[in-house]
Structure formats: structure tokens, C-alpha cells
Amino acid sequence: MKDQNIVVIGGTSGIGLALCRMLTESGARVFVGSRTAMEAEKLPGAEYFPWDAGQGDMPLDTLPETVQGLVYCPGTIRLRPISRLTDNDFLEDFNINVMGAVRAVRSLLTRMKKSSSGGSVVLFSTVAVQTGMPFHASVASAKGAIEGLTRALSAELAPRIRVNAIAPSLTDTPLAAQLLSSEDKRKAAEERHPMKQVGSAEQMAHTAAYLLDERSGWITGQILHVDGGMSAVRTFR
Ligand SMILES: NC(=O)c1ccc[n+]([C@@H]2O[C@H](COP(=O)([O-])OP(=O)(O)OC[C@H]3O[C@@H](n4cnc5c(N)ncnc54)[C@H](OP(=O)(O)O)[C@@H]3O)[C@@H](O)[C@H]2O)c1
């Protein structure tokens, strides 16, 4: 990844932060956008720019003219029965998860097309698209749209730009803190997974780093299920 210009939206927390640390260590130039300003000590070597992906296009003035990679991390976990989900809840989840990603891709498209080595876009879905789970109606609808967006854009932007998504199961980040807030909750979550663990930000970040790298150059239009076996495996005998 040396000398590649990579834009990570949501690189100040959780999976995005773990990814940015890996990328700066590997010599990439990393540009981090989010709503809350980031102290330079948190991520030495990265450049920060403020952007609320929930509204308006990405400000480009501090970004390089050529961009090789874009990772869009913002997401939501609003788990409620359908009777307690309002129209506005669905629209807000769609706006952050999907429209923010659309705005990010649209804003950087010209700069990604300029890259002589091609470009890679990485988006985030969830295990709850592949596997139905109670109380996930809003987030699963939005992330289902991300999976459609991934396939549509990968067709539209081939062969210059690859587009893939990662569909994690429960991962230990600030976003999931409520779901892992006690030893009992954590144990129950681990038990639900065939691999008897919840995911780590680093495991997701490694997958994203691989999808950015040219070693994954023949992979596009894919949804990678990094979920401890949750979507594919039953361990009962
Ligand atoms: N953690 C899980 O269990 C899990 C499971 C399935 C899928 N995922 C997906 O994985 C992705 C990463 O999740 P995570 O757990 O790493 O989340 P996280 O720890 O909450 O980090 C989210 C990042 O996105 C930024 N962000 C949020 N809203 C934004 C906005 N409107 N504009 C710009 N930046 C925004 C946040 O910074 P600011 O708040 O400062 O803007 C932060 O840097 C998400 O798409 C999530 O849906 C996570």
C-alpha cells in the first residue's frame, strides 16, 4: 500500500480506526473524514478533514488529486421491533448507511479514475442481510441496499475501479458497545457464533486492507462474510 492515497470515512473509531493504523504503518497516505475532529496523536501520519456524510458532498480541497482507495465505515445499529421503528428511523438509517456511501463514491469518482493502478472501494454491510434476525428490520434494509449498490457499482465501474463490501457479524467496537456491555451479554454473543468469539476491529480491518490492496485485484462485486461462521455454518450435530 506504500504511497497509495486512501480515503477512510469513519476512520476515527472502531474498524475504520484499526484500518487507518494498519494503512499508515504500511506506508499509505491516509485521509480520514468524520464528524468529530480527531486529535493527531490518535492516528499519527494521517490527515483529518471534517465531513458529515449525512449531508452534502465530500469537501475535496484538502484531498489529493488522485485517490486509489475509498473505505466508507459509518453505520448504525438501531435494533427495535418493527412496531417501534418510525419512518424517520428507516430514513435516517438509509441516509447514513447508503446515501453517505453514494455521496462519498460520487465525490471521489473522478479522482479514483485518474489512478493509473486503478481504484478500490470498500463498503460495509452486516450479517443480518444474509441471515434474518429479529429487530434488525431497519439496519438490514439499509445494508441490503449497500449490497445492491456494491454489485451495481462494481459492474458500472469495471475494469478501472473494484467495489466490494464486508458483512461483519457482531464486532467489538464503540458502535456495538451496548450489545457487549456485560460479561453475560458477551458470553451469550460468543456462544451464538460457530467460532465462539465476537469479531475484532482488527479482523475486519485486515479484510478491508486486503480488498484495498492490488493482491485482491481480481475480486470485485463481492460481499465478504467475515462473521465467525454465523451466516454459513451450523455446529449442532
Ligand atoms: N460493530 C459491529 O458489530 C458491526 C456489525 C455489523 C456491521 N458493522 C458495520 O461496520 C461499519 C463500521 O462500524 P464500527 O463498529 O467500526 O463503527 P464505529 O466504531 O461507530 O465508527 C463509526 C465511524 O464512522 C464515523 N461516522 C458516523 N457517522 C458519520 C457521519 N454521518 N459522517 C461521517 N462520519 C461518520 C464515526 O465518527 P463521528 O461519529 O465522529 O462522525 C466513526 O469514525 C459500519 O458500517 C457498521 O454498520 C459493524
Side-chain angles (χ1 to χ4, degrees):
M1 304 298 300
K2 195 158 170 35
D3 297 330
Q4 305 270 292
N5 294 327
I6 312 290
V7 175
V8 182
I9 305 305
T12 58
S13 172
I15 296 168
L17 179 59
L19 172 66
C20 288
R21 289 188 170 136
M22 283 175 199
L23 292 173
T24 51
E25 275 166 25
S26 73
R29 285 188 288 262
V30 179
F31 301 83
V32 179
S34 73
R35 293 168 302 178
T36 317
M38 180 186 68
E39 321 80 62
E41 315 81 74
K42 192 170 177 182
L43 197 47
E47 286 186 35
Y48 176 81
F49 65 97
W51 182 44
D52 180 352
Q55 43 195 317
D57 286 338
M58 189 189 297
L60 298 176
D61 36 316
T62 61
L63 298 181
E65 278 305 314
T66 305
V67 170
Q68 282 80 28
L70 164 65
V71 185
Y72 184 82
C73 299
T76 51
I77 301 187
R78 193 194 306 259
L79 305 186
R80 284 187 212 148
I82 185 85
S83 56
R84 288 186 36 226
L85 283 168
T86 64
D87 288 8
N88 213 38
D89 292 333
F90 276 87
L91 292 172
E92 275 180 17
D93 282 350
F94 193 86
N95 189 37
I96 296 304
N97 285 284
V98 186
M99 291 313 302
V102 169
R103 292 179 191 111
V105 171
R106 227 172 23 205
S107 301
L108 287 181
L109 199 51
T110 308
R111 294 179 191 221
M112 291 192 81
K113 282 183 175 164
K114 280 188 195 161
S115 160
S116 55
S117 56
S120 172
V121 175
V122 181
L123 306 176
F124 280 90
S125 178
T126 168
V127 66
V129 173
Q130 174 83 11
T131 303
M133 295 182 178
F135 312 135
H136 284 66
S138 181
V139 67
S141 303
K143 295 297 200 182
I146 278 288
E147 296 196 6
L149 180 70
T150 300
R151 295 193 186 95
L153 288 182
S154 63
E156 184 174 327
L157 303 180
R160 301 283 306 141
I161 299 173
R162 299 182 296 114
V163 185
N164 294 287
I166 299 169
S169 186
L170 187 58
T171 302
D172 193 355
T173 70
L175 184 68
Q178 267 293 100
L179 304 174
L180 295 169
S181 59
S182 70
E183 241 348 275
D184 285 351
K185 283 186 187 176
R186 183 177 288 272
K187 274 254 158 312
E190 288 170 351
E191 265 319 298
R192 279 197 297 276
H193 290 81
M195 296 305 289
K196 303 301 174 202
Q197 291 169 9
V198 296
S200 71
E202 287 71 25
Q203 285 167 332
M204 301 304 153
H206 275 299
T207 310
Y210 171 65
L211 289 172
L212 288 170
D213 192 89
E214 63 187 2
R215 280 174 291 186
S216 66
W218 221 39
I219 301 179
T220 195
Q222 300 300 315
I223 313 299
L224 266 67
H225 299 276
V226 187
D227 60 10
M230 190 73 143
S231 63
V233 175
R234 295 288 173 273
T235 49
F236 55 78
R237 292 183 169 86

